[in-house]
Amino acid sequence: MFKKKVNSENTERKNKRTGCRRAAAFLLAVIVIVGTVYSTFGGFSTGPCADTDEFAKYATEIKDIKIPEGTRVLALGEATHGNREFQELKLEVFELAVEKYGVRAFALEANYGECEEVNRYIHGGKGKPEDYAGKLGFTLYNTDEMAAVIKYMRDFNQTAKDGDDIRLYGFDMQSYELCHKHLVEAAKAERLDTTELEKLMGKKEYSDKFTTAERKAVISDIRSKLIAVGAPANEVMLADILLQNADLVEAYASGDQSAPLITRDKLMADNLLWISKQEEWRGNNMIFATGHNGHVEQNGCYDEEHKVMGALVAEQLGDGYYVIGTDFYHAIVNMPYNSGKRSNHSFYSHDPLAKAAKKCGYEMCWLDFSAVPEDSALRAVCDDYCYMGSLGEGYSRFLSRIPLAYRVLRAPAQTYDSMIFVSNANPTSPK
């Protein structure tokens, strides 16, 4: 009897353990399923949707984009760096600006020296467009879509009259190799002594025999001499970019994590305004600029004192700064890990306007906020804060697991003058 009782108790304990394991397995499965749904869609839904009938009244095609009179900088943002559609929009909107508004300058969120290299190509240099897409300095631009942009500018310049050519500018300063190379060439052309300037560089990197302060002193000396001999502004700018790069290096060395971001946006704003002024001297009243949404938005800031590039430019130009933002409903984005290896990842925005574009059946459309009546329900959505997609050049698993890691809270009509919505954005294929 005792043995039977023990066996019975053992069986009961085993059954309880089995039941607990099954319950735990079931709970784990539920957590995995719920987590997968949450991370895939950025929540348990893709968010609210603006009224589709109203949205359809005011949404239009990209070819119908209208730029206000008096615009000096037409800026196009991109919600991600790794989608074909946002790179294709660079060409589509720029081509419209060239043909309808006489724009003859393309300013890109890329380094000044690399863009100068490509600028020389579109003015008759040898090679193929795809070769020069790879010279823009960032892997994200080494694509067929950016090669098409370069081809368009080169083809245009081949038949353009003197002074009516398109110029490519970079307004970033994160690299220095080609800037240094072009500055040495410019200084030699002006018959200046470049001995010290050339000593700054090793094969592809700065020599470690000079401190940042010592490099700045050498570059500043060459800059002063270029000005003294009346060198063109674009040659002096080569020195300016190298000095900016040094300022950025010092910002990183400060240990303040926000310092490099603040420094870079301020310098990019200065450069964009310089490009605008250069083109004014050429007789062109408007330039086209393109970069990430986070840089071109007209009221973005890092804190109460420091604004992003677009906000700084808008502060100077007022209504002369016109910005078109972009967003997606769903995007499969090509992004790099810290290792540099790139892969594709799926994201959903939580933007009610992007969702309305998707439900209306638009692959892509443009919404001019000034055309939406103030007393309409759609206007209320445009003015209200919502979570919009925003992905840069870097992937971590947090982005897939925590939706707020790839979304920014913005009021669309306060952030941009108009927006382009892409329903399903496809990944780029960098070479």
Side-chain angles (χ1 to χ4, degrees):
M1 289 292 293
F2 178 73
K3 187 175 182 180
K4 287 183 179 179
K5 186 177 179 180
V6 170
N7 288 341
S8 175
E9 289 176 352
N10 287 340
T11 300
E12 187 177 345
R13 282 196 293 269
K14 286 180 181 178
N15 288 339
K16 283 183 179 179
R17 286 197 295 270
T18 300
C20 287
R21 290 193 192 100
R22 287 175 178 171
F26 176 77
L27 181 60
L28 180 60
V30 169
I31 292 172
V32 169
I33 292 170
V34 169
T36 300
V37 170
Y38 186 87
S39 62
T40 299
F41 294 103
F44 298 115
S45 76
T46 52
C49 182
D51 184 278
T52 52
D53 290 334
E54 263 211 322
F55 186 88
K57 284 182 185 178
Y58 304 106
T60 186
E61 297 180 62
I62 308 304
K63 66 181 180 64
D64 296 321
I65 287 176
K66 293 180 177 62
I67 308 304
E69 188 176 346
T71 296
R72 290 175 58 191
V73 175
L74 164 60
L76 173 68
E78 55 184 1
T80 82
H81 283 315
N83 285 106
R84 290 204 311 263
E85 287 77 6
F86 297 133
Q87 291 199 358
E88 289 168 347
L89 278 169
K90 286 177 169 60
L91 177 55
E92 193 167 357
V93 177
F94 180 60
E95 192 171 353
L96 179 149
V98 168
E99 295 179 0
K100 287 189 176 181
Y101 298 95
V103 169
R104 294 295 183 268
F106 188 116
L108 180 65
E109 184 193 341
N111 294 301
Y112 185 86
E114 279 88 341
C115 285
E116 173 58 24
E117 192 88 350
V118 179
N119 183 61
R120 296 179 184 191
Y121 169 70
I122 67 173
H123 283 87
K126 297 180 180 180
K128 299 177 181 179
E130 51 267 31
D131 297 332
Y132 282 84
K135 293 185 179 184
L136 282 170
F138 299 129
T139 302
L140 64 99
Y141 291 141
N142 192 10
T143 63
D144 291 338
E145 292 76 29
M146 287 306 297
V149 174
I150 294 169
K151 182 179 186 303
Y152 170 77
M153 291 190 285
R154 180 179 169 87
D155 289 348
F156 183 94
N157 285 346
Q158 286 180 335
T159 59
K161 297 177 181 178
D162 289 344
D164 196 41
D165 56 303
I166 290 173
R167 294 191 182 186
L168 175 67
Y169 298 89
F171 52 81
D172 209 341
M173 74 307 298
Q174 293 187 85
S175 75
Y176 53 82
E177 182 188 356
L178 286 178
C179 250
H180 179 270
K181 170 192 168 187
H182 295 317
L183 180 60
V184 169
E185 292 172 353
K188 285 183 174 180
E190 300 293 346
R191 298 183 179 181
L192 300 177
D193 182 2
T194 62
T195 304
E196 290 302 307
L197 182 62
E198 291 184 73
K199 286 180 182 178
L200 296 183
M201 283 292 290
K203 291 184 177 179
K204 288 191 175 182
E205 303 285 341
Y206 274 139
S207 168
D208 57 9
K209 294 179 180 179
F210 295 83
T211 65
T212 302
E214 288 169 340
R215 283 198 296 270
K216 288 174 74 171
V218 172
I219 295 164
S220 294
D221 180 60
I222 285 290
R223 182 184 187 277
S224 298
K225 290 175 179 176
L226 285 170
I227 293 173
V229 299
N234 63 312
E235 292 183 0
V236 176
M237 188 60 171
L238 292 165
D240 286 334
I241 294 293
L242 290 178
L243 292 172
Q244 289 179 11
N245 177 267
D247 289 342
L248 192 59
V249 169
E250 290 175 337
Y252 275 106
S254 71
D256 181 349
Q257 291 186 345
S258 63
L261 304 175
I262 291 168
T263 299
R264 181 174 172 235
D265 266 85
K266 181 187 180 302
L267 294 174
M268 289 196 298
D270 292 342
N271 294 342
L272 200 55
L273 290 167
W274 178 84
I275 294 166
S276 175
K277 183 62 69 175
Q278 283 293 109
E279 287 299 307
E280 275 189 51
W281 290 334
R282 291 183 67 209
N284 302 321
N285 294 324
M286 187 192 304
I287 69 169
F288 173 78
T290 179
H292 196 277
N293 277 349
H295 293 305
V296 303
E297 58 182 343
Q298 59 192 357
N299 58 4
C301 61
Y302 291 106
D303 53 43
E304 292 182 0
E305 296 181 12
H306 302 102
K307 300 178 180 180
V308 302
M309 179 190 77
L312 291 168
V313 174
E315 194 172 65
Q316 294 296 314
L317 300 184
D319 291 340
Y321 184 69
Y322 184 89
V323 56
I324 305 172
T326 59
D327 203 1
F328 56 84
Y329 171 74
H330 175 230
I332 299 176
V333 189
N334 182 271
M335 305 172 74
Y337 287 92
N338 289 336
S339 65
K341 181 180 179 182
R342 305 185 73 92
S343 55
N344 299 333
H345 305 275
S346 176
F347 302 94
Y348 286 83
S349 77
H350 220 247
D351 185 340
L353 297 173
K355 190 167 185 176
K358 168 73 173 177
K359 285 198 169 186
C360 285
Y362 295 115
E363 291 183 9
M364 190 183 295
C365 62
W366 174 64
L367 182 65
D368 179 4
F369 295 130
S370 68
V372 181
E374 291 290 338
D375 59 352
S376 69
L378 183 62
R379 182 70 197 196
V381 175
C382 296
D383 288 336
D384 197 11
Y385 280 81
C386 66
Y387 284 104
M388 306 169 75
S390 180
L391 291 148
E393 184 67 352
Y395 177 77
S396 75
R397 289 184 172 84
F398 286 108
L399 292 176
S400 294
R401 289 168 172 76
I402 305 175
L404 290 183
Y406 69 83
R407 293 175 181 163
V408 291
L409 187 62
R410 298 286 188 273
Q414 307 307 316
T415 307
Y416 309 107
D417 294 295
S418 62
M419 285 190 73
I420 294 172
F421 300 100
V422 177
S423 291
N424 295 292
N426 296 287
T428 53
S429 299
K431 297 176 176 59

